[in-house]
Amino acid sequence: MSEKHGTKIVLTASATEMSDFLNNPFIAFVGGFAKGPVPLWFLRRNLYPPVKRNPDGRAKYAPYGLRKVEALLLKNGFKESDVAVVHPQDLNSFVGPNTKAIGISSMDPTGMGYVSKTYSSIVGGGEPMNAIEFRQLVKNKSIRTYKPRVIVGGFGSWQLERKKVADSYGVDCVIMGEGEEVVANIFEKAVNGQEIPRVVRVQESCEEKEVPTIKHPAVHGCVEISRGCGRNCQFCTPTMQKKRDIPLERILEEVKTTVNEGSSRITLVTEDLFLYGAKDPRFIPDKKAVVKLVKSVANVPHVKAIQPSHTSLAPVVADPSMVKEIAEILIDYNWYYHGSKAIITSETGLETGSVRLMRKYMTGKMLPYKPEQWPEIVSQSFGIMNDCDWYPLATLIIGLPDELEEDVNATLELMDNLHDYSAFYVPLFFVPLENCILMDKKGTELDSLNKARWELFIRCWEYNVRIWRDTFLKHRIPNPLLFKFIKHVAIPYAGTAAGIFYRFKHGEQMQRAIWKMATA
Ligand code: SF4
């Protein structure tokens, strides 16, 4: 199964990141929820089961960032036999006296991400699953026994420094920022027993040509098509990276690697699919480049589903014909359904309906339009997307610094205008992420939720229940009688019990909201 005395370098991630969440990229966000009284073994089996293994025990799929590290190590002189990418459950088979370094990638190691902060405080039940699983990983017995150097990178690595837990977690080196130009050197030093830095902060964006393509598939068939954004939203970190489009031939090479190793589903990783190839400083999309990209990926033999990770709203209004044309392709490669209808989806930032806050923190978000036009852009783009069976997953931020009640009311008004559109809404507390312009500001806490903020939070989830409940239940409960029982009896009863519980936790309005959702 593995080298008898351990593989020289072992790459891994926590159990919530080494899973495809039963093939559902958007459900993966529940890793930020608290586990409550549910035992870990149950969650590992039923919510985030391990990725498949190859016959040699290595992981068949791994987070995209880990695959990039693997490719960088192979490019820099390490052999395939020197590097094993494994699920944490398999560490005992791969870590031994010969193991010199463990590389861990993490999105949310201590539960300080947007979803974790928001939902673990509202729903309650303790620490988020992401944080529990990361701790379990670094405390793994074979790591403790053989003491290889532990190197942590990834989007959430900053959390270890902010919480000052790196030492107690036995982490020797934390890499923050784009690590591509430093990572091979650090592993080389670790393998040779040389000193490695405790913290590495990479401020510059790496040169794309220096980054090798992945050699094995990523979870959800992730393939990066662009990096960075450039719209300068002040709460966001991708905007600090230089915007780069990955050349089409490199994208297709990674798509082929992915399908050749058994994944027929491709996730296009980007901050904005609609701006792939765009050169215009006012963020006018380049329709030809986007259509060519989507067509080319769809034409790779054996690709069966294509999921764009993120899109923004202004380009939809700027070029509705582009959206229509790519939707006509993507609908044949759909990953999701609404009822029995095939739909396309992607994550998008709605953020707020307040023109004042848009002007203050996000003046680039609606380019080529003006901040005053934002509410109209949101409504129009939702309409255009829905006409193409494209149902966005929209995130909203509650508690941006200096948010006033009138700002929240503006968002509530916008939500009223969106009532008849289909989307999934994810309201999130503001979190001052590392390396964003607002990083020194105070994050939103549960006790700062006034009546208007609660109202917005509840409105989003009322919409979600109304739009998605039947789809959610039908895909899990095929038996029509059982479906009726769950919908009309079990959910209202559970809603009543949950309402009473949350009334004591968060007040009467929460109880009313849960009751409304349960009986919608
Ligand atoms: S548009 Fe999205 S990715 Fe770009 S800066 Fe704003 S929040 Fe970040």
Side-chain angles (χ1 to χ4, degrees):
M1 192 177 193
S2 62
E3 272 185 39
K4 203 167 156 212
H5 300 293
T7 308
K8 205 181 273 179
I9 297 175
V10 176
L11 302 177
T12 188
S14 63
T16 47
E17 298 191 33
M18 289 292 275
S19 172
D20 66 4
F21 279 77
L22 303 166
N23 197 24
N24 197 335
F26 287 128
I27 290 288
F29 80 92
V30 302
F33 284 39
K35 78 172 190 65
V38 188
L40 270 186
W41 64 262
F42 183 85
L43 294 166
R44 287 172 180 172
R45 193 178 298 169
N46 299 295
L47 182 63
Y48 47 90
V51 289
K52 286 184 189 155
R53 278 84 159 186
N54 290 317
D56 65 359
R58 292 168 195 231
K60 199 167 166 54
Y61 307 104
Y64 188 78
L66 217 51
R67 287 299 189 203
K68 279 288 183 199
V69 173
E70 176 187 41
L72 278 158
L73 294 173
L74 298 177
K75 183 187 167 199
N76 282 276
F78 290 100
K79 301 193 292 286
E80 288 260 3
S81 57
D82 293 331
V83 185
V85 179
V86 307
H87 188 277
Q89 277 177 8
D90 301 325
L91 281 172
N92 295 347
S93 307
F94 286 87
V95 177
N98 287 349
T99 305
K100 303 296 178 211
I102 302 274
I104 300 174
S105 108
S106 183
M107 297 289 285
D108 189 24
T110 68
M112 293 169 78
Y114 278 107
V115 173
S116 301
K117 281 296 271 186
T118 309
Y119 290 94
S120 60
S121 57
I122 287 191
V123 181
E127 223 183 351
M129 287 172 258
N130 284 340
I132 296 172
E133 290 291 7
F134 185 84
R135 202 174 41 250
Q136 295 259 331
L137 164 58
V138 287
K139 307 265 175 194
N140 176 279
K141 192 164 161 251
S142 49
I143 300 181
R144 296 267 144 169
T145 306
Y146 297 108
K147 299 192 174 22
R149 306 284 187 84
V150 178
I151 301 163
V152 180
F155 185 73
S157 60
W158 60 273
Q159 297 180 8
L160 299 174
E161 289 303 300
R162 185 88 63 92
K163 268 210 168 159
K164 299 187 177 24
V165 292
D167 288 338
S168 61
Y169 279 13
V171 174
D172 298 285
C173 174
V174 179
I175 303 175
M176 292 185 262
E178 292 187 36
E180 278 91 341
E181 285 175 10
V182 298
V183 85
N185 183 259
I186 292 170
F187 275 93
E188 239 167 61
K189 284 184 171 161
V191 165
N192 294 330
Q194 293 168 274
E195 207 173 307
I196 56 172
R198 247 290 282 112
V199 180
V200 181
R201 285 192 168 80
V202 185
Q203 305 290 0
E204 299 293 310
S205 298
C206 67
E207 284 300 324
E208 173 47 40
K209 60 181 182 322
E210 301 299 327
V211 184
T213 51
I214 56 171
K215 301 296 172 253
H216 301 288
V219 173
H220 296 131
C222 282
V223 169
E224 192 174 42
I225 62 162
S226 67
R227 196 180 283 193
C229 170
R231 284 192 186 269
N232 285 335
C233 300
Q234 296 186 17
F235 58 85
C236 168
T237 45
T239 200
M240 306 305 269
Q241 301 169 307
K242 196 168 85 188
K243 157 91 160 65
R244 288 144 289 167
D245 294 310
I246 313 297
L248 185 55
E249 63 276 15
R250 288 164 63 83
I251 295 171
L252 295 178
E253 196 183 317
E254 294 200 345
V255 172
K256 284 174 195 157
T257 299
T258 304
V259 288
N260 287 346
E261 291 200 25
S263 171
S264 55
R265 291 165 180 256
I266 300 295
T267 300
L268 302 177
V269 179
T270 172
E271 300 309 330
D272 192 353
L273 168 70
F274 296 146
L275 289 181
Y276 179 77
K279 301 278 182 291
D280 189 303
R282 291 171 314 129
F283 296 87
I284 307 271
D286 178 342
K287 174 177 168 181
K288 233 169 116 187
V290 182
V291 172
K292 186 174 173 196
L293 164 74
V294 174
K295 264 191 186 154
S296 306
V297 173
N299 284 339
V300 173
H302 309 302
V303 168
K304 294 209 174 78
I306 304 172
Q307 173 64 44
S309 68
H310 293 81
T311 49
S312 66
L313 298 175
V316 179
V317 179
D319 192 348
S321 71
M322 170 189 69
V323 178
K324 189 166 176 287
E325 204 167 316
I326 53 177
E328 279 166 6
I329 305 167
L330 289 177
I331 202 71
D332 291 333
Y333 292 83
N334 71 303
W335 198 308
Y336 288 96
Y337 288 86
H338 183 249
S340 52
K341 183 167 86 168
I343 58 161
I344 307 160
T345 184
S346 55
E347 192 177 329
T348 194
L350 189 162
E351 325 302 10
T352 173
S354 161
V355 168
R356 188 183 79 89
L357 291 178
M358 291 305 289
R359 198 180 287 121
K360 187 164 181 174
Y361 298 124
M362 296 169 251
T363 42
K365 196 171 187 90
M366 71 297 294
L367 284 171
Y369 304 102
K370 297 198 171 72
E372 306 78 85
Q373 294 172 280
W374 179 244
E376 185 50 34
I377 289 165
V378 175
S379 304
Q380 261 194 50
S381 57
F382 272 44
I384 294 165
M385 291 172 98
N386 273 193
D387 285 346
C388 305
D389 294 332
W390 197 314
Y391 294 5
L393 181 153
T395 52
L396 296 93
I397 303 184
I398 294 181
L400 275 162
D402 178 39
E403 181 188 75
L404 305 172
E405 194 162 330
E406 68 199 46
D407 298 311
V408 186
N409 286 336
T411 311
L412 282 165
E413 209 175 291
L414 177 56
M415 290 299 292
D416 285 343
N417 296 339
L418 298 177
H419 181 271
D420 295 332
Y421 295 128
S422 293
F424 189 88
Y425 299 94
V426 183
L428 298 166
F429 290 175
F430 164 69
V431 174
L433 298 177
E434 185 76 7
N435 214 12
C436 74
I437 297 167
L438 297 177
M439 70 177 276
D440 295 326
K441 299 289 181 191
K442 194 172 173 300
T444 309
E445 296 296 337
L446 187 65
D447 58 14
S448 74
L449 292 200
N450 55 21
K451 200 162 175 257
R453 287 178 175 178
W454 268 116
E455 180 66 31
L456 174 57
F457 196 89
I458 289 164
R459 182 83 54 89
C460 290
W461 282 99
E462 270 175 25
Y463 278 27
N464 290 340
V465 171
R466 173 172 56 80
I467 298 166
W468 295 100
R469 183 193 48 201
D470 285 5
T471 298
F472 182 85
L473 292 179
K474 270 189 184 135
H475 282 265
R476 282 156 188 83
I477 308 162
N479 181 318
L481 279 179
L482 189 59
F483 170 84
K484 275 193 179 156
F485 172 79
I486 300 237
K487 179 174 171 180
H488 298 296
V489 181
I491 290 181
Y493 270 106
T496 305
I500 293 166
F501 175 78
Y502 282 105
R503 180 192 174 111
F504 288 109
K505 212 168 153 53
H506 301 310
E508 192 195 341
Q509 57 188 346
M510 189 71 171
Q511 182 186 23
R512 260 191 290 119
I514 292 175
W515 176 245
K516 245 170 141 181
M517 285 188 246
T519 55

